[in-house]
Amino acid sequence: MLRALHDLHGYAIEATDGPIGHVAEVYFDDEQWTIRYLVVKTGSWLDTREVLLSPISLGEPRWETRTLTARLTKDKVRHSPSIDLHEPVSRQQEARFNAYYGWSPYWGGNGLWARWGTPMMMAAPPRPEDRPHVLAHDDDPHLRSSHEVTGYHLHATDAKIGHVVDFIVDDATWAIRYLVVDTSNWGFGHKVLIAPDWIEAVHADTRIVDLLVPRDVIMESPPWNPEVPITREYEDGLLAHYRQRQVLSWGPRSKETPIRSRPHHEP
């Protein structure tokens, strides 16, 4: 099911032996556009410290009580490696963090979650023999804070278009399916959805998201109503609009040539 990330803020996180805290924000990577860590604000039992938890650690959610369960003990979380969340998280820190919990590094394969496959919330952690043995040592892991990226301005191929106000997440894979864009400052007054495949680059230094589509195509796309669940019919209509405007390939969910490249004459 697709869920607005804003709705997940405040969800309680339960360890196998008691409450850990609640979801404050997330870290996602802007290459696979997948949530890699939940930032969990702990209670007084851990001096209200903020810790990272991977979706790999989560068991079956209890949506009716706004609770996510973790296959971890509180003691395991207590002794997890300390990471300064006010600074960029390096790949070396991630490698240390994943090694402590025994998780595969997500950058170890071609799928969303390394070569052992995409985790579902009910999935067990990978077996040791399935984990990649070679860790990358790249200091640029493309991790982004959801709080940081919220507010970034979007630039279409020909004009500014709006700013990021939320993210739409697939709760089975933790992939970010859409950015929610508020266009009200540009005189249109509604929210639209932008798929990651339509994004050219994210610039942290200027707080800008460059898109691969022109402004009028975005503004004329079906508006998004946060009060109405996103259905397959809505997504099909959204993709049909982009195909009709000749910026998407004919395949409704093809990722081979999903969108035209930015014309060479444009900056």
Side-chain angles (χ1 to χ4, degrees), residues 29-40:
D29 80 79
D30 65 2
E31 292 184 313
Q32 293 284 348
W33 288 90
T34 302
I35 292 175
R36 300 306 181 184
Y37 305 105
L38 307 179
V39 178
V40 179

Side-chain angles (χ1 to χ4, degrees), residues 145-237:
S145 158
S146 59
H147 279 186
E148 174 200 348
V149 176
T150 298
Y152 275 27
H153 288 89
L154 285 89
H155 286 191
T157 57
D158 52 357
K160 297 178 180 178
I161 191 66
H163 61 278
V164 179
V165 293
D166 206 347
F167 305 85
I168 302 299
V169 179
D170 185 331
D171 66 17
T173 63
W174 293 92
I176 293 177
R177 291 275 291 274
Y178 301 101
L179 275 65
V180 181
V181 178
D182 187 345
T183 66
S184 58
N185 290 345
W186 280 259
F188 295 91
H190 60 258
K191 296 180 174 66
V192 295
L193 301 185
I194 297 291
D197 282 338
W198 312 340
I199 294 173
E200 182 177 46
V202 179
H203 305 286
D205 54 341
T206 56
R207 296 177 57 83
I208 288 174
V209 179
D210 277 332
L211 303 179
L212 291 164
V213 289
R215 175 179 173 175
D216 65 321
V217 173
I218 298 170
M219 299 313 303
E220 294 168 11
S221 67
W224 177 67
N225 183 352
E227 303 300 322
V228 178
I230 296 175
T231 63
R232 181 62 179 267
E233 289 72 24
Y234 173 86
E235 288 193 273
D236 287 344

Side-chain angles (χ1 to χ4, degrees), residues 11-266:
Y11 265 52
I13 304 292
E14 292 277 346
T16 57
D17 54 354
I20 297 175
H22 65 271
V23 178
E25 61 173 314
V26 304
Y27 278 83
F28 65 91
D29 80 79
D30 65 2
E31 292 184 313
Q32 293 284 348
W33 288 90
T34 302
I35 292 175
R36 300 306 181 184
Y37 305 105
L38 307 179
V39 178
V40 179
K41 190 168 186 178
T42 64
S44 57
W45 70 277
L46 200 53
D47 299 323
T48 320
R49 169 184 160 196
E50 288 186 335
V51 298
L52 296 181
L53 289 182
S54 168
I56 296 172
S57 69
L58 299 180
E60 185 175 7
R62 299 197 295 273
W63 300 117
E64 67 282 359
T65 60
R66 293 174 55 85
T67 302
L68 300 175
T69 58
R71 294 183 294 266
L72 300 168
T73 64
K74 294 174 70 173
D75 193 59
K76 188 71 173 178
V77 174
R78 183 193 306 274
H79 297 290
S80 63
S82 179
I83 295 179
D84 185 357
L85 298 181
H86 299 291
E87 298 291 336
V89 179
S90 71
R91 184 55 55 84
Q92 285 82 359
Q93 287 176 307
E94 286 192 88
R96 234 178 4 255
F97 183 77
N98 282 287
Y100 170 79
Y101 280 110
W103 299 329
S104 291
Y106 59 82
W107 57 88
N110 295 324
L112 289 182
W113 291 91
R115 63 183 174 87
W116 46 269
T118 302
M120 308 297 282
M121 285 188 170
M122 289 292 290
R127 298 171 300 174
E129 59 269 27
D130 290 336
R131 297 176 189 138
H133 297 291
V134 179
L135 298 182
H137 294 287
D138 182 4
D139 270 327
D140 184 20
H142 294 273
L143 279 184
R144 309 283 184 182
S145 158
S146 59
H147 279 186
E148 174 200 348
V149 176
T150 298
Y152 275 27
H153 288 89
L154 285 89
H155 286 191
T157 57
D158 52 357
K160 297 178 180 178
I161 191 66
H163 61 278
V164 179
V165 293
D166 206 347
F167 305 85
I168 302 299
V169 179
D170 185 331
D171 66 17
T173 63
W174 293 92
I176 293 177
R177 291 275 291 274
Y178 301 101
L179 275 65
V180 181
V181 178
D182 187 345
T183 66
S184 58
N185 290 345
W186 280 259
F188 295 91
H190 60 258
K191 296 180 174 66
V192 295
L193 301 185
I194 297 291
D197 282 338
W198 312 340
I199 294 173
E200 182 177 46
V202 179
H203 305 286
D205 54 341
T206 56
R207 296 177 57 83
I208 288 174
V209 179
D210 277 332
L211 303 179
L212 291 164
V213 289
R215 175 179 173 175
D216 65 321
V217 173
I218 298 170
M219 299 313 303
E220 294 168 11
S221 67
W224 177 67
N225 183 352
E227 303 300 322
V228 178
I230 296 175
T231 63
R232 181 62 179 267
E233 289 72 24
Y234 173 86
E235 288 193 273
D236 287 344
L238 181 65
L239 294 172
H241 164 76
Y242 278 87
R243 289 197 302 276
Q244 288 167 2
R245 294 302 302 270
Q246 299 183 346
V247 294
L248 284 182
S249 64
W250 64 270
R253 287 184 184 350
S254 171
K255 289 194 174 184
E256 294 179 1
T257 55
I259 202 158
R260 289 182 175 179
S261 300
R262 181 187 292 268
H264 294 299
H265 66 274
E266 292 186 351

